[in-house]
Amino acid sequence: MHERAVPARNLTLDAVQLDRIFPFYLQLDRGLLVQAMGPSLRKLVPDLVVGDPYTQHFLVNQPTGIGTLQDWIASAGDLVVFRSRSNPAVVLRGTVEPLGDSGLMFLVTAAAASFDKMRQLGLGLRDYALYDSVAEVLRSSSQNLDLMELRVQIEQLRAIVELGDSGVLHAGPSGSVEHVNRTLCEMFGIDESRIAGLTLDAFEKHLGELLAPEESRRQPISALLDAVLESQGQAAAIKHTRTIRLISPRRVTLLMSLTLTSRRDIVLYFRDITKEAEVDRMKSEFLSTAAHELRTPLASIFGFAELMMTRKMAPEQLQELLGTIHRQSQLLINLINELLDLSRIESRQGKDFHRQYCRVGTIIDQTIKGLLIKHDKRQVKLYMPHGAEAIMVDPEKTQQALLNVLSNAFKYSPNGGDITLETVLKEEGSDRFVGIRVTDQGMGMTTEQLARVFERFWRADPSGAIPGTGLGMSLVKEITELQEGRVQIESMPQQGTAVTLWFPLTADFVLSRPSDLQDPGMAA
């Protein structure tokens, strides 16, 4: 081996400086025993102990043929490569520095080809010296990894925004629109080709053209932005909301949120709350109407009872007042019973229905028998060509629904006219349905009235001249739909109304003989 004389070099670094500048250093004494080590090397090789022979912990891959102190001194300045005996993945690279009579100093660093490799070794960037070229490569790798992760996160967020059912618009501080999702374009009828070059002012102008008339003078975006600016404080992002109603491209109620980020970007978020708003409206209207409907008979009962208690009356007058109290009490009982029926049916979702195969004709016959319209001599005209068809229903609940439809036919045709009940069939693809249709020649309904016919307490005649609770058709709809059926209503003002209850026919049920028929149901 070629030997050369290397002058001894005296380092003047204290322990703290040495640890900071060479965190992986390894110092040996003249006997090649471990004398000191850097904090990062201690972390990397935790079983390394002062006083141990260095060869107990490391294999020397380079330079080769090293065995004595003089061999190391002769290799000063050459590349040194150590590999851990206990963990071959740990590789140290650097140089050796003779310390005169004191021994040797190995100024090395841990090799790591990637950021993940460094993590596997249990190290972090802080374990490397700032000037370390390995650390610089790892830092670059870390930044690239962070950028890749950031790109992945951005793509994930973009996918979530695009697939969501809410509209999102992002505008920069200058007001230029930087991104809108597809839902927003559909919500406001914006052609995607117009997005490029779109500004927040142009979008607000377009929005103003879609607002309902009662909101046409409002500038919701500007108003929200002003509110945000007025309430600015310590928060990094400020958010305000308001409700707007559009009439185009379709009638909707939207909850609009505006967020101003710390970079002064503007994010607009639009959520369709049409159903929630309608439910709130119906709930408020239901409570108001229910209170009114309950108060009216109660007021009559209370008033006439008080009159009877405070005044002396002839027997005929008392009898008349008692008759009024009885009628109002009956109306109150009917109202409460229908409310309880509707509530029970909705809450149970048909679980208390006792469904069985029933002949359509039997259900109709049983319903007609229970129909009692006082002071009305009209009869129901029956046409039942499909009365033998079988449907899977709860006979009592179905009779209740049909009875409500028949009662409405009589009540809402006060000027007379035929009441017809017939059965019809139709096919939809491979499915077959039988319908029970009730037709009257009464007052009929407009398109707007038809849209509200299933609302609770709603009546086509709001005058109160026609008795009823306004809950009948709600019950009809619930009972029919919970049995896989549906209600169809056709009506024209002053020409009458036709209500059809459609029920599916079961293909696998075959009526083999007349004795299979039972009242009101049939054994399967």
Side-chain angles (χ1 to χ4, degrees):
M1 176 180 178
H2 175 70
E3 295 184 1
R4 59 182 176 180
V6 178
R9 306 172 189 175
N10 294 321
L11 299 179
T12 58
L13 301 176
D14 61 28
V16 175
Q17 292 172 324
L18 188 62
D19 287 348
R20 184 174 66 251
I21 299 174
F22 302 109
F24 291 96
Y25 81 88
L26 176 64
Q27 184 176 346
L28 306 182
D29 61 14
R30 293 183 61 81
L32 301 183
L33 302 178
V34 176
Q35 188 175 15
M37 69 202 76
S40 297
L41 182 59
R42 189 180 302 111
K43 178 180 179 180
L44 185 62
V45 188
D47 58 343
L48 188 62
V49 179
V50 173
D52 287 346
Y54 81 98
T55 53
Q56 177 181 331
H57 299 278
F58 299 104
L59 291 171
V60 180
N61 288 3
Q62 194 174 342
T64 58
I66 293 294
T68 65
L69 175 63
Q70 294 302 318
D71 292 336
W72 280 118
I73 293 175
S75 300
D78 292 342
L79 175 65
V80 174
V81 180
F82 287 168
R83 186 178 296 273
S84 170
R85 289 182 182 272
S86 59
N87 184 4
V90 174
V91 177
L92 301 172
R93 298 175 184 272
T95 61
V96 60
E97 187 74 25
L99 299 179
D101 294 337
S102 301
L104 302 170
M105 177 81 74
F106 292 100
L107 305 178
V108 293
T109 189
S114 67
F115 195 72
D116 288 339
K117 180 67 175 178
M118 179 189 70
R119 286 178 172 175
Q120 292 172 8
L121 293 176
L123 299 173
L125 289 173
R126 292 185 178 181
D127 294 315
Y128 289 82
L130 293 176
Y131 66 85
D132 199 322
S133 60
V134 172
E136 187 62 31
V137 172
L138 293 176
R139 287 190 188 93
S140 176
S141 174
S142 173
Q143 292 171 358
N144 291 335
L145 183 62
D146 291 342
L147 287 174
M148 290 177 62
E149 292 178 351
L150 182 60
R151 290 192 186 100
V152 171
Q153 292 176 3
I154 290 174
E155 290 300 321
Q156 290 174 342
L157 289 174
R158 187 180 295 274
I160 292 171
V161 169
E162 288 299 327
L163 294 175
D165 56 1
S166 300
V168 179
L169 179 146
H170 171 217
S174 64
S176 61
V177 175
E178 297 184 3
H179 179 73
V180 297
N181 68 344
R182 184 173 300 176
T183 303
L184 185 135
C185 293
E186 296 173 353
M187 191 176 284
F188 294 98
I190 299 176
D191 192 331
E192 294 187 21
S193 62
R194 294 176 52 198
I195 296 175
L198 183 65
T199 64
L200 197 59
D201 290 340
F203 175 74
E204 183 169 41
K205 182 179 179 181
H206 175 72
L207 174 61
E209 297 172 353
L210 308 179
L211 290 173
E214 64 271 18
E215 302 190 47
S216 59
R217 296 183 180 181
R218 298 168 58 186
Q219 292 183 308
I221 297 177
S222 299
L224 269 186
L225 185 57
D226 290 341
V228 169
L229 294 173
E230 289 175 5
S231 61
Q232 278 186 321
Q234 302 299 321
I238 303 171
K239 175 181 176 181
H240 279 257
T241 61
R242 78 183 305 167
T243 301
I244 60 174
R245 287 178 292 277
L246 306 185
I247 57 173
S248 179
R250 60 189 181 91
R251 291 184 176 272
V252 292
T253 302
L254 302 177
L255 180 66
M256 181 178 71
S257 303
L258 186 147
T259 300
L260 185 66
T261 70
S262 57
R263 292 181 59 247
R264 317 298 289 179
D265 287 6
I266 296 172
V267 178
L268 286 171
Y269 175 86
F270 297 89
R271 184 167 66 89
D272 189 341
I273 59 169
T274 306
K275 291 183 179 179
E276 292 94 323
E278 181 64 14
V279 168
D280 286 341
R281 183 195 66 78
M282 292 176 64
K283 180 179 68 175
S284 299
E285 190 171 296
F286 170 79
L287 292 174
S288 175
T289 308
H292 174 76
E293 294 294 336
L294 289 169
R295 183 178 61 182
T296 300
L298 282 173
S300 297
I301 294 170
F302 179 82
F304 286 121
E306 187 176 42
L307 191 62
M308 293 171 62
M309 292 172 62
T310 57
R311 292 187 183 182
K312 291 184 178 181
M313 297 182 180
E316 297 79 8
Q317 290 179 308
L318 286 175
Q319 191 65 28
E320 183 179 352
L321 292 181
L322 285 172
T324 302
I325 290 175
H326 181 269
R327 288 193 301 273
Q328 294 296 329
S329 299
Q330 187 62 52
L331 179 62
L332 192 60
I333 290 171
N334 292 341
L335 174 61
I336 292 174
N337 284 339
E338 287 195 341
L339 276 173
L340 291 174
D341 284 344
L342 190 58
S343 175
R344 182 170 57 251
I345 289 172
E346 283 188 339
S347 62
R348 295 290 296 168
Q349 289 293 301
K351 293 178 181 178
D352 57 350
F353 281 24
H354 302 290
R355 298 177 66 183
Q356 54 188 293
Y357 285 109
C358 299
R359 192 179 69 175
V360 172
T362 302
I363 291 175
I364 293 174
D365 290 340
Q366 295 293 329
T367 304
I368 295 297
K369 289 179 182 179
L371 181 64
L372 179 61
I373 304 296
K374 292 183 179 180
H375 312 300
D376 197 319
K377 297 181 179 180
R378 286 177 292 177
Q379 299 294 316
V380 179
K381 295 185 177 181
L382 296 178
Y383 299 96
M384 296 192 297
H386 314 98
E389 296 288 354
I391 54 177
M392 175 67 84
V393 294
D394 182 314
E396 291 185 4
K397 295 290 193 299
T398 308
Q399 290 169 28
Q400 181 184 1
L402 183 56
L403 186 60
N404 284 352
V405 176
L406 283 168
S407 298
N408 281 348
F410 277 90
K411 288 189 296 183
Y412 286 95
S413 54
N415 297 326
D418 293 336
I419 307 295
T420 303
L421 192 156
E422 59 182 326
T423 61
V424 290
L425 281 179
K426 71 173 180 178
E427 295 185 0
E428 293 181 358
S430 58
D431 299 324
R432 298 173 67 242
F433 297 85
V434 63
I436 305 174
R437 178 172 296 160
V438 176
T439 306
D440 63 57
Q441 299 178 17
M443 56 195 301
M445 290 180 285
T446 65
T447 303
E448 291 75 16
Q449 290 174 320
L450 273 175
R452 302 189 61 187
V453 72
F454 295 117
E455 291 184 18
R456 297 172 190 182
F457 293 111
W458 182 86
R459 298 180 189 176
D461 176 30
S463 67
I466 299 176
T469 63
L471 295 172
M473 291 308 295
S474 298
L475 276 167
V476 171
K477 184 175 187 292
E478 290 291 334
I479 292 172
T480 305
E481 291 185 352
L482 285 173
Q483 300 182 111
E484 287 83 45
R486 60 181 181 272
V487 183
Q488 179 184 357
I489 303 180
E490 300 169 287
S491 187
M492 292 289 290
Q494 307 307 319
Q495 295 185 26
T497 302
V499 180
T500 308
L501 309 184
W502 292 102
F503 296 97
L505 290 172
T506 307
D508 57 357
F509 179 81
V510 178
L511 186 62
S512 60
R513 57 187 182 277
S515 60
D516 288 335
L517 299 182
Q518 297 182 11
D519 291 330
M522 297 182 293

